[in-house]
């Protein structure tokens, strides 16, 4: 999304297979951009092997081992999709009497736009900017360990931008022609394992 990161009440790390979400959250906490972190996510078929105790749990453990104090971390451990990430996070914050007016959303690099669109639909009053941990692409793919997996995830995320907006789960987003053309080429090349049929 190329948002300019600015101080916010909280950073919300969306669960996925990418530990970079926790890496970026720790950076934001340590540079005092946010005073508190909330990690959200259970497991999905794409994360169970990498994070067997759950996405939010593993992110929390990473943050703790990298110097974030326990009292600065909240977790939500039931969400299995992006809409639930926001719906259930709101409930966790309510239970802890935390009422943010601004947040930094942290996701995989290619999930930023969908995260933004979903949040603005389900939590429109929250002032949000998006960010992610973005090493060079070859380092990113090496860190995940499977180029085919990354491409399939990217294709699936691109599809979800439109169909989730059409279904009312997200606000509409413009998809540039060159992005749509690349998406079609990748689908035609067989990168379809993360498509919603």
């Amino acid at each position: 999304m190329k948002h300019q990161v600015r101080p916010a009440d909280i950073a919300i790390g969306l669960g996925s297979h990418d530990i970079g979400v926790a890496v970026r959250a720790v950076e934001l906490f340590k540079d005092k951009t946010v005073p508190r972190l909330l990690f959200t996510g259970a497991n999905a078929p794409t994360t169970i092997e990498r994070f067997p105790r759950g996405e939010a749990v593993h992110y929390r453990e990473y943050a703790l081992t990298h110097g974030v104090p326990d009292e600065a971390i909240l977790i939500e451990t039931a969400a299995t999709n992006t809409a639930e990430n926001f719906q259930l996070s709101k409930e966790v914050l309510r239970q802890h009497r935390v009422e943010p007016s601004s947040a930094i959303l942290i996701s995989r690099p290619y999930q930023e736009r969908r995260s933004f669109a979903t949040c603005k639909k389900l939590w429109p009053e929250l002032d949000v900017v998006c960010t992610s941990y973005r090493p060079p692409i070859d380092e990113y793919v090496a860190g995940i360990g499977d180029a085919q997996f990354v491409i399939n995830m990217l294709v699936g995320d691109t599809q979800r931008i439109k169909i989730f907006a059409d279904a009312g789960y997200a606000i509409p987003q413009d998809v540039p022609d060159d992005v749509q053309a690349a998406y079609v080429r990748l689908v035609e090349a067989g990168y379809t394992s993360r498509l919603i049929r």
Side-chain angles (χ1 to χ4, degrees):
M1 298 278 308
K2 299 179 182 173
H3 285 166
Q4 182 67 43
V5 171
R6 58 182 186 261
D9 297 329
I10 196 165
I12 302 173
L14 304 182
S16 74
H17 59 272
D18 186 352
I19 196 65
V21 171
V23 172
R24 185 69 176 124
V26 169
E27 290 174 352
L28 294 171
F29 180 83
K30 286 188 169 182
D31 71 13
K32 300 187 182 345
T33 303
V34 293
R36 185 185 306 255
L37 308 176
L38 168 60
F39 295 121
T40 169
N43 269 121
T46 57
T47 65
I48 191 72
E49 288 184 22
R50 185 178 293 259
F51 301 133
R53 292 181 306 285
E55 300 152 1
V57 171
H58 281 266
Y59 288 176
R60 176 183 173 273
E61 291 170 353
Y62 178 92
L64 289 171
T65 61
H66 288 82
V68 179
D70 189 46
E71 62 270 17
I73 305 171
L74 296 172
I75 62 170
E76 179 291 304
T77 61
T80 59
N81 60 55
T82 308
E84 288 181 355
N85 286 138
F86 295 116
Q87 292 163 337
L88 298 176
S89 290
K90 286 168 78 170
E91 180 59 23
V92 167
L93 291 170
R94 188 192 64 74
Q95 290 170 359
H96 286 87
R97 296 190 174 105
V98 176
E99 298 180 11
S101 61
S102 60
I104 299 173
L105 306 182
I106 309 168
S107 66
R108 300 168 291 194
Y110 50 87
Q111 189 187 8
E112 284 187 28
R113 183 165 297 281
R114 184 164 63 88
S115 299
F116 177 81
T118 305
C119 185
K120 293 312 289 180
K121 180 69 175 190
L122 301 176
W123 204 344
E125 70 277 15
L126 189 65
D127 179 23
V128 296
V129 295
C130 299
T131 189
S132 56
Y133 178 66
R134 290 182 226 147
I137 188 67
D138 54 341
E139 290 179 28
Y140 181 82
V141 172
I144 300 300
D146 184 341
Q148 301 290 321
F149 176 79
V150 171
I151 296 169
N152 275 297
M153 293 296 288
L154 191 147
V155 169
D157 237 74
T158 303
Q159 180 200 40
R160 284 162 175 79
I161 289 171
K162 179 172 183 352
I163 65 172
F164 284 5
D166 290 347
Y169 300 129
I171 62 170
Q173 296 288 289
D174 289 328
V175 178
D177 291 343
D178 59 339
V179 172
Q180 183 62 31
Y183 165 79
V184 170
R185 285 196 308 274
L186 289 168
V187 169
E188 289 172 349
Y191 293 98
T192 59
S193 70
R194 294 292 300 155
L195 293 182
I196 297 173
R197 307 283 185 235

